[in-house]
Amino acid sequence: EMKKRGVEPDIVTYNAAISACEKGGREYTDTALALLAELKRSGIGPDVITYNAIVKACFDGKRYSHAQEKTREAIDMGIYPNFVASKSAKWDLHDLTEATSCMLLGDSLISIVEASWFRKVTIITGKGLHSDDGPVLQEKVPRFLREVAGIEISMQEGNEGRFIITRKTLQKWGTFGKYKEFKNVMTNQQCMYR
């Protein structure tokens, strides 16, 4: 409609439209993806707001392969952290959304298993002190990892804002666990998370 009236959309316009699609539900995920493609064709670079909205739209729509693909794009652009490349054993999810956190963790865990680079990982969700809705990541990220990834996690004693995936757990998950099933979910359109 804007283009018909001679008004060219900018990053704010695209972000608002993609965010509206994300809030509209699953039936608008394809529209959000089309808007992102249009934004890129127009020469406007997507930003953190764009990627947060598109990853959430895909994640909420149970389209994990699309969410992972967009997460990787954002990592490559330096918008999201690259936990594996940083070689850090502490992955800090502060300031990240639920969808972004889950996709970053999923992508990172797959990368670790594929590289046979097993080690203990501490995941920091925070205590939710800066969230209006309380500790969202503290509850939902472990749930995603348990239910979708099928990986065991341990809460860090004395700090409910941290949990741990041990080296042994990663090896077991990658060798005998649900790693292959999880990777398939992350790269295909299958849905496990309800």
Side-chain angles (χ1 to χ4, degrees), residues 32-192:
L33 290 164
L35 285 165
L36 177 62
E38 183 181 314
L39 175 143
K40 290 176 182 177
R41 281 192 307 274
S42 75
I44 300 171
D47 62 12
V48 68
I49 296 167
T50 314
Y51 278 106
N52 283 348
I54 198 72
V55 169
K56 185 167 178 9
C58 295
F59 181 82
D60 288 351
K62 311 298 186 241
R63 295 177 63 179
Y64 299 125
S65 64
H66 286 100
Q68 184 183 37
E69 175 188 323
K70 300 310 169 195
T71 299
R72 284 184 178 166
E73 282 178 21
I75 290 169
D76 291 344
M77 294 175 66
I79 292 173
Y80 293 156
N82 186 333
F83 294 133
V84 176
S86 73
K87 300 194 187 285
S88 173
K90 289 186 180 177
W91 297 349
D92 191 345
L93 305 178
H94 281 99
D95 300 323
L96 297 174
T97 66
E98 171 196 355
T100 300
S101 296
C102 291
M103 291 298 98
L104 279 171
L105 291 175
D107 189 61
S108 298
L109 291 171
I110 288 170
S111 295
I112 284 175
V113 169
E114 288 178 350
S116 296
W117 186 41
F118 302 108
R119 65 188 176 179
K120 173 184 156 185
V121 175
T122 301
I123 299 167
I124 304 164
T125 61
K127 297 179 182 180
L129 300 176
H130 303 290
S131 299
D132 294 336
D133 299 328
V136 175
L137 297 181
Q138 193 180 95
E139 173 191 333
K140 294 188 177 184
V141 169
R143 180 176 156 214
F144 175 83
L145 291 175
R146 284 185 193 111
E147 293 179 14
V148 179
I151 193 165
E152 294 176 34
I153 60 168
S154 305
M155 299 313 286
Q156 185 168 332
E157 210 172 299
N159 188 340
E160 66 270 13
R162 291 179 181 222
F163 59 93
I164 295 166
I165 302 173
T166 66
R167 180 175 196 249
K168 184 177 178 179
T169 296
L170 276 172
Q171 286 176 313
K172 180 180 165 187
W173 180 71
T175 307
F176 307 109
K178 294 191 174 190
Y179 160 74
K180 288 182 182 176
E181 186 179 343
F182 177 63
K183 183 178 178 188
N184 193 41
V185 167
M186 294 291 281
T187 56
N188 295 312
Q189 290 308 310
Q190 294 182 10
C191 174
M192 292 172 56

